[in-house]
Amino acid sequence: MLGFLQAASGFKIWRSSFSTETPTMVKDGTTSFKERNPFITFVLGGPGSGKGTQCQKIVETFGFKHLSAGELLRREIESNSEHWSQMLNTIKEGRIVPSEVTVRLIQQEMESSDNNKFLIDGFPRTEENRIAFEQLLGLEPNVVLFFDCPEEEMVKRVLNRNQGRVDDNIDTVKKRLKVFEILNLPVIDYYSKRGKLCKINAVGTEDEIFEKVRPIFSACAGK
Ligand SMILES: Nc1ncnc2c1ncn2[C@@H]1O[C@H](COP(=O)(O)OP(=O)(O)OP(=O)(O)O)[C@@H](O)[C@H]1O
Ligand SMILES: O=c1ccn([C@@H]2O[C@H](COP(=O)(O)O)[C@@H](O)[C@H]2O)c(=O)[nH]1
Ligand SMILES: [Mg+2]
């Protein structure tokens, strides 16, 4: 099944053109990002579960830097960067972009930020993503939020979103849900076993859900 999900994107050819250099290596005496001891939150959940909406509220209340992996990829496509057409096709098909690309984009944003508290929204999508991030940056998340939402509600929210996203249509949403179940749930399960998962019932108003999120960060931010 995993083979089926990844086979059709020509990933092997695409992947081979990325450098394997470890980007966190200390160069010219500068300190590595890891030494900044950043506070990292991964924000997970199916398509339309409300990750972006809740991240916005966390930013406003607790001053985190919000990095949406999907948004970083969409920005790359819009700027016609290398491999933009493969990325666009991958997103249209609801498949997952190779880890090298996504980790590099996230790492660049983190390293260039003055903020040291990060919300990484919609990443890692796969066990391979997770391992790539942890190995390349030498870091693990402090907390993992999981917005748990019924499929029917997620489909309704995505189809009502109206932001012009190429993947907000019923065919792609069905594929994204399948990819979420097969590739992302194992990541959630991994962090659950590591005692890092905060599972939040994502049904209710945006404010009601934020009241479940707030205590997770209040403890460390004193708010
Ligand atoms: N609690 C809620 N109740 C109803 N609608 C919501 C709620 N939270 C978010 N929405 C709406 O649902 C849509 C999807 O929310 P959002 O973009 O935050 O989800 P997401 O998890 O980031 O999705 P994706 O993975 O597709 O980026 C948006 O139009 C948003 O306004
Ligand atoms: O780590 C990631 C994150 C996202 N993608 C691709 O982007 C779309 C949209 O992501 P959203 O989080 O819903 O904005 C997703 O369906 C994937 O195709 C990815 O490949 N890797
Ligand atoms: Mg989102």
Side-chain angles (χ1 to χ4, degrees):
M1 193 56 166
L2 288 183
F4 159 75
L5 286 169
Q6 293 176 328
S9 292
F11 278 173
K12 272 190 184 155
I13 302 161
W14 182 13
R15 185 187 298 275
S16 66
S17 64
F18 283 93
S19 163
T20 53
E21 184 193 356
T22 305
T24 47
M25 277 194 333
V26 178
K27 287 174 186 160
D28 305 329
T30 56
T31 53
S32 76
F33 180 70
K34 186 181 174 178
E35 285 171 43
R36 275 171 56 178
N37 196 20
F39 187 94
I40 297 174
T41 304
F42 285 159
V43 183
L44 302 179
S49 58
K51 301 180 293 297
T53 303
Q54 293 301 320
C55 281
Q56 208 42 52
K57 290 179 178 292
I58 299 167
V59 167
E60 284 159 18
T61 311
F62 296 106
F64 276 67
K65 169 83 177 170
H66 176 206
L67 300 176
S68 157
E71 200 53 53
L72 293 176
L73 294 169
R74 286 187 284 276
R75 228 195 279 165
E76 282 290 285
I77 292 167
E78 276 161 28
S79 66
N80 283 351
S81 74
E82 202 188 0
H83 304 300
W84 70 269
S85 70
Q86 288 103 316
M87 284 188 231
L88 179 58
N89 285 333
T90 304
I91 287 178
K92 277 183 181 166
E93 285 298 309
R95 295 177 196 274
I96 304 303
V97 170
S99 302
E100 294 92 321
V101 180
T102 320
V103 174
R104 179 177 52 82
L105 292 172
I106 292 171
Q107 184 177 24
Q108 281 170 357
E109 291 291 318
M110 291 174 92
E111 289 185 350
S112 62
S113 176
D114 290 338
N115 202 325
N116 212 27
K117 297 186 295 183
F118 298 94
L119 292 172
I120 304 185
D121 163 3
F123 180 93
R125 292 297 240 260
T126 66
E127 277 288 276
E128 197 212 346
N129 276 176
R130 176 184 71 71
I131 292 162
F133 180 94
E134 292 184 355
Q135 287 187 347
L136 287 169
L137 279 90
L139 288 164
E140 286 193 21
N142 300 76
V143 179
V144 179
L145 301 186
F146 166 38
F147 291 102
D148 188 23
C149 195
E151 278 200 13
E152 209 182 89
E153 176 68 16
M154 290 195 274
V155 171
K156 196 172 81 186
R157 290 183 190 176
V158 167
L159 297 182
N160 285 332
R161 182 157 43 190
N162 272 329
Q163 287 177 358
R165 277 176 53 167
V166 292
D167 52 350
D168 279 357
N169 58 76
I170 189 62
D171 287 347
T172 311
V173 172
K174 282 182 185 164
K175 291 174 185 166
R176 289 161 67 195
L177 285 168
K178 202 167 191 177
V179 167
F180 171 70
E181 190 189 328
I182 295 171
L183 297 177
N184 208 188
L185 283 181
V187 178
I188 290 164
D189 192 41
Y190 172 86
Y191 285 122
S192 174
K193 288 182 179 135
R194 304 263 300 164
K196 295 195 171 186
L197 195 76
C198 296
K199 181 172 165 175
I200 293 151
N201 180 345
V203 180
T205 66
E206 295 175 11
D207 287 344
E208 282 167 350
I209 295 159
F210 185 63
E211 289 314 313
K212 299 180 213 170
V213 171
R214 188 193 294 277
I216 298 166
F217 297 101
S218 296
C220 32
K223 286 193 184 180

mmCIF file of all heavy atoms in Angstrom, residues 46-53 121 125 153 157-158 160-161 165 168 176 202 204-206 209, ligand 1:
data_model
loop_
_atom_site.group_PDB
_atom_site.id
_atom_site.type_symbol
_atom_site.label_atom_id
_atom_site.label_comp_id
_atom_site.label_asym_id
_atom_site.label_seq_id
_atom_site.Cartn_x
_atom_site.Cartn_y
_atom_site.Cartn_z
ATOM 1 N N GLY A 46 -5.764 15.713 10.388
ATOM 2 C CA GLY A 46 -6.154 15.506 8.994
ATOM 3 C C GLY A 46 -6.435 16.828 8.286
ATOM 4 O O GLY A 46 -6.432 17.898 8.902
ATOM 5 N N PRO A 47 -6.686 16.737 6.964
ATOM 6 C CA PRO A 47 -6.981 17.947 6.192
ATOM 7 C C PRO A 47 -8.250 18.625 6.713
ATOM 8 O O PRO A 47 -9.280 17.973 6.884
ATOM 9 C CB PRO A 47 -7.195 17.410 4.764
ATOM 10 C CG PRO A 47 -7.467 15.943 4.916
ATOM 11 C CD PRO A 47 -6.735 15.516 6.152
ATOM 12 N N GLY A 48 -8.153 19.912 7.020
ATOM 13 C CA GLY A 48 -9.331 20.658 7.490
ATOM 14 C C GLY A 48 -9.632 20.464 8.960
ATOM 15 O O GLY A 48 -10.661 20.943 9.457
ATOM 16 N N SER A 49 -8.745 19.833 9.699
ATOM 17 C CA SER A 49 -9.020 19.589 11.130
ATOM 18 C C SER A 49 -8.885 20.865 11.960
ATOM 19 O O SER A 49 -9.265 20.884 13.134
ATOM 20 C CB SER A 49 -8.108 18.484 11.673
ATOM 21 O OG SER A 49 -6.750 18.843 11.496
ATOM 22 N N GLY A 50 -8.301 21.921 11.369
ATOM 23 C CA GLY A 50 -8.207 23.212 12.068
ATOM 24 C C GLY A 50 -6.814 23.559 12.556
ATOM 25 O O GLY A 50 -6.647 24.448 13.393
ATOM 26 N N LYS A 51 -5.785 22.923 11.998
ATOM 27 C CA LYS A 51 -4.402 23.169 12.436
ATOM 28 C C LYS A 51 -4.016 24.642 12.254
ATOM 29 O O LYS A 51 -3.530 25.283 13.189
ATOM 30 C CB LYS A 51 -3.411 22.281 11.643
ATOM 31 C CG LYS A 51 -3.666 20.793 11.774
ATOM 32 C CD LYS A 51 -2.667 19.971 10.967
ATOM 33 C CE LYS A 51 -2.771 20.126 9.467
ATOM 34 N NZ LYS A 51 -4.032 19.687 8.875
ATOM 35 N N GLY A 52 -4.225 25.151 11.045
ATOM 36 C CA GLY A 52 -3.828 26.527 10.744
ATOM 37 C C GLY A 52 -4.590 27.533 11.595
ATOM 38 O O GLY A 52 -4.011 28.510 12.102
ATOM 39 N N THR A 53 -5.878 27.281 11.782
ATOM 40 C CA THR A 53 -6.736 28.185 12.563
ATOM 41 C C THR A 53 -6.247 28.256 14.009
ATOM 42 O O THR A 53 -6.121 29.342 14.579
ATOM 43 C CB THR A 53 -8.195 27.653 12.528
ATOM 44 O OG1 THR A 53 -8.579 27.551 11.156
ATOM 45 C CG2 THR A 53 -9.135 28.536 13.293
ATOM 46 N N ASP A 121 3.455 23.256 11.482
ATOM 47 C CA ASP A 121 2.071 22.858 11.169
ATOM 48 C C ASP A 121 2.044 21.947 9.936
ATOM 49 O O ASP A 121 2.556 22.302 8.879
ATOM 50 C CB ASP A 121 1.311 24.197 10.955
ATOM 51 C CG ASP A 121 -0.017 24.078 10.245
ATOM 52 O OD1 ASP A 121 -0.451 22.964 9.926
ATOM 53 O OD2 ASP A 121 -0.621 25.142 10.007
ATOM 54 N N ARG A 125 4.661 14.444 7.977
ATOM 55 C CA ARG A 125 3.518 13.732 7.398
ATOM 56 C C ARG A 125 3.734 12.232 7.373
ATOM 57 O O ARG A 125 2.782 11.472 7.210
ATOM 58 C CB ARG A 125 3.298 14.169 5.941
ATOM 59 C CG ARG A 125 2.819 15.597 5.757
ATOM 60 C CD ARG A 125 1.471 15.783 6.389
ATOM 61 N NE ARG A 125 0.404 16.197 5.541
ATOM 62 C CZ ARG A 125 -0.043 17.440 5.448
ATOM 63 N NH1 ARG A 125 0.509 18.426 6.105
ATOM 64 N NH2 ARG A 125 -1.089 17.706 4.701
ATOM 65 N N GLU A 153 -16.630 15.892 9.068
ATOM 66 C CA GLU A 153 -16.437 17.303 9.436
ATOM 67 C C GLU A 153 -15.247 17.898 8.673
ATOM 68 O O GLU A 153 -15.304 19.039 8.202
ATOM 69 C CB GLU A 153 -16.237 17.407 10.962
ATOM 70 C CG GLU A 153 -15.940 18.797 11.497
ATOM 71 C CD GLU A 153 -17.119 19.774 11.391
ATOM 72 O OE1 GLU A 153 -18.271 19.331 11.191
ATOM 73 O OE2 GLU A 153 -16.864 20.997 11.503
ATOM 74 N N ARG A 157 -15.385 21.108 6.095
ATOM 75 C CA ARG A 157 -14.576 22.321 6.298
ATOM 76 C C ARG A 157 -13.703 22.626 5.081
ATOM 77 O O ARG A 157 -13.585 23.777 4.662
ATOM 78 C CB ARG A 157 -13.687 22.168 7.540
ATOM 79 C CG ARG A 157 -14.463 22.182 8.838
ATOM 80 C CD ARG A 157 -13.499 22.088 10.017
ATOM 81 N NE ARG A 157 -14.190 21.862 11.274
ATOM 82 C CZ ARG A 157 -13.568 21.667 12.436
ATOM 83 N NH1 ARG A 157 -12.254 21.674 12.494
ATOM 84 N NH2 ARG A 157 -14.271 21.471 13.541
ATOM 85 N N VAL A 158 -13.065 21.586 4.540
ATOM 86 C CA VAL A 158 -12.175 21.812 3.386
ATOM 87 C C VAL A 158 -12.975 22.332 2.190
ATOM 88 O O VAL A 158 -12.567 23.292 1.516
ATOM 89 C CB VAL A 158 -11.415 20.516 3.011
ATOM 90 C CG1 VAL A 158 -10.742 20.658 1.653
ATOM 91 C CG2 VAL A 158 -10.365 20.178 4.069
ATOM 92 N N ASN A 160 -15.633 23.982 2.163
ATOM 93 C CA ASN A 160 -16.167 25.344 2.400
ATOM 94 C C ASN A 160 -15.067 26.388 2.537
ATOM 95 O O ASN A 160 -15.357 27.546 2.805
ATOM 96 C CB ASN A 160 -16.994 25.370 3.703
ATOM 97 C CG ASN A 160 -18.343 24.715 3.498
ATOM 98 O OD1 ASN A 160 -18.863 24.712 2.388
ATOM 99 N ND2 ASN A 160 -18.900 24.139 4.554
ATOM 100 N N ARG A 161 -13.801 25.983 2.396
ATOM 101 C CA ARG A 161 -12.706 26.891 2.752
ATOM 102 C C ARG A 161 -12.584 28.080 1.798
ATOM 103 O O ARG A 161 -12.291 29.188 2.235
ATOM 104 C CB ARG A 161 -11.379 26.128 2.849
ATOM 105 C CG ARG A 161 -10.230 27.024 3.258
ATOM 106 C CD ARG A 161 -9.075 26.286 3.898
ATOM 107 N NE ARG A 161 -8.698 25.050 3.241
ATOM 108 C CZ ARG A 161 -7.846 24.177 3.772
ATOM 109 N NH1 ARG A 161 -7.286 24.411 4.931
ATOM 110 N NH2 ARG A 161 -7.541 23.065 3.135
ATOM 111 N N ARG A 165 -7.324 26.869 -3.090
ATOM 112 C CA ARG A 165 -6.274 25.846 -3.089
ATOM 113 C C ARG A 165 -6.585 24.752 -4.111
ATOM 114 O O ARG A 165 -7.716 24.282 -4.203
ATOM 115 C CB ARG A 165 -6.136 25.235 -1.668
ATOM 116 C CG ARG A 165 -5.260 26.074 -0.758
ATOM 117 C CD ARG A 165 -5.182 25.547 0.645
ATOM 118 N NE ARG A 165 -4.791 24.141 0.728
ATOM 119 C CZ ARG A 165 -4.422 23.540 1.846
ATOM 120 N NH1 ARG A 165 -4.375 24.234 2.976
ATOM 121 N NH2 ARG A 165 -4.103 22.270 1.851
ATOM 122 N N ASP A 168 -8.248 21.590 -2.669
ATOM 123 C CA ASP A 168 -9.527 21.648 -1.939
ATOM 124 C C ASP A 168 -10.689 21.255 -2.844
ATOM 125 O O ASP A 168 -11.572 22.062 -3.169
ATOM 126 C CB ASP A 168 -9.738 23.055 -1.346
ATOM 127 C CG ASP A 168 -8.973 23.259 -0.044
ATOM 128 O OD1 ASP A 168 -8.328 22.307 0.429
ATOM 129 O OD2 ASP A 168 -9.042 24.376 0.494
ATOM 130 N N ARG A 176 -6.163 12.760 0.234
ATOM 131 C CA ARG A 176 -5.429 13.290 1.396
ATOM 132 C C ARG A 176 -5.837 12.559 2.671
ATOM 133 O O ARG A 176 -5.005 12.304 3.556
ATOM 134 C CB ARG A 176 -5.693 14.798 1.536
ATOM 135 C CG ARG A 176 -5.008 15.606 0.448
ATOM 136 C CD ARG A 176 -5.607 16.984 0.275
ATOM 137 N NE ARG A 176 -5.387 17.863 1.400
ATOM 138 C CZ ARG A 176 -6.056 18.999 1.593
ATOM 139 N NH1 ARG A 176 -7.004 19.377 0.729
ATOM 140 N NH2 ARG A 176 -5.796 19.743 2.629
ATOM 141 N N ALA A 202 -11.282 18.018 18.027
ATOM 142 C CA ALA A 202 -11.351 19.229 17.199
ATOM 143 C C ALA A 202 -12.764 19.573 16.753
ATOM 144 O O ALA A 202 -12.956 20.350 15.817
ATOM 145 C CB ALA A 202 -10.434 19.071 15.993
ATOM 146 N N GLY A 204 -16.226 21.473 17.553
ATOM 147 C CA GLY A 204 -16.677 22.601 18.388
ATOM 148 C C GLY A 204 -16.309 23.892 17.691
ATOM 149 O O GLY A 204 -15.764 23.864 16.572
ATOM 150 N N THR A 205 -16.584 25.001 18.345
ATOM 151 C CA THR A 205 -16.222 26.275 17.716
ATOM 152 C C THR A 205 -14.701 26.463 17.839
ATOM 153 O O THR A 205 -14.049 25.813 18.662
ATOM 154 C CB THR A 205 -16.927 27.466 18.401
ATOM 155 O OG1 THR A 205 -16.408 27.575 19.732
ATOM 156 C CG2 THR A 205 -18.440 27.286 18.460
ATOM 157 N N GLU A 206 -14.188 27.377 17.037
ATOM 158 C CA GLU A 206 -12.741 27.647 17.075
ATOM 159 C C GLU A 206 -12.309 28.051 18.496
ATOM 160 O O GLU A 206 -11.260 27.628 18.985
ATOM 161 C CB GLU A 206 -12.394 28.752 16.071
ATOM 162 C CG GLU A 206 -12.650 28.312 14.632
ATOM 163 C CD GLU A 206 -12.441 29.420 13.610
ATOM 164 O OE1 GLU A 206 -11.903 30.486 13.982
ATOM 165 O OE2 GLU A 206 -12.816 29.213 12.446
ATOM 166 N N ILE A 209 -12.265 25.115 20.960
ATOM 167 C CA ILE A 209 -11.089 24.259 20.765
ATOM 168 C C ILE A 209 -9.849 24.937 21.339
ATOM 169 O O ILE A 209 -9.016 24.297 21.991
ATOM 170 C CB ILE A 209 -10.939 23.885 19.274
ATOM 171 C CG1 ILE A 209 -12.141 23.020 18.877
ATOM 172 C CG2 ILE A 209 -9.637 23.137 19.015
ATOM 173 C CD1 ILE A 209 -12.432 22.974 17.426
HETATM 174 N N1 LIG B 1 -13.672 24.657 14.839
HETATM 175 C C1 LIG B 1 -14.030 24.943 13.606
HETATM 176 N N2 LIG B 1 -15.329 24.870 13.239
HETATM 177 C C2 LIG B 1 -15.705 25.151 11.971
HETATM 178 N N3 LIG B 1 -14.859 25.516 10.988
HETATM 179 C C3 LIG B 1 -13.548 25.596 11.309
HETATM 180 C C4 LIG B 1 -13.075 25.321 12.618
HETATM 181 N N4 LIG B 1 -11.728 25.474 12.625
HETATM 182 C C5 LIG B 1 -11.389 25.831 11.378
HETATM 183 N N5 LIG B 1 -12.471 25.930 10.586
HETATM 184 C C6 LIG B 1 -12.512 26.265 9.168
HETATM 185 O O1 LIG B 1 -12.221 25.052 8.458
HETATM 186 C C7 LIG B 1 -11.347 25.307 7.376
HETATM 187 C C8 LIG B 1 -10.077 24.485 7.563
HETATM 188 O O2 LIG B 1 -9.381 24.979 8.693
HETATM 189 P P1 LIG B 1 -7.783 25.078 8.670
HETATM 190 O O3 LIG B 1 -7.340 25.725 7.403
HETATM 191 O O4 LIG B 1 -7.372 25.699 9.947
HETATM 192 O O5 LIG B 1 -7.439 23.526 8.661
HETATM 193 P P2 LIG B 1 -6.062 22.779 8.456
HETATM 194 O O6 LIG B 1 -6.017 21.664 9.424
HETATM 195 O O7 LIG B 1 -4.934 23.751 8.471
HETATM 196 O O8 LIG B 1 -6.248 22.176 6.996
HETATM 197 P P3 LIG B 1 -5.165 21.748 5.895
HETATM 198 O O9 LIG B 1 -4.440 20.567 6.417
HETATM 199 O O10 LIG B 1 -5.982 21.407 4.708
HETATM 200 O O11 LIG B 1 -4.255 22.934 5.690
HETATM 201 C C9 LIG B 1 -11.120 26.817 7.328
HETATM 202 O O12 LIG B 1 -12.023 27.397 6.417
HETATM 203 C C10 LIG B 1 -11.443 27.268 8.762
HETATM 204 O O13 LIG B 1 -11.936 28.589 8.804
#
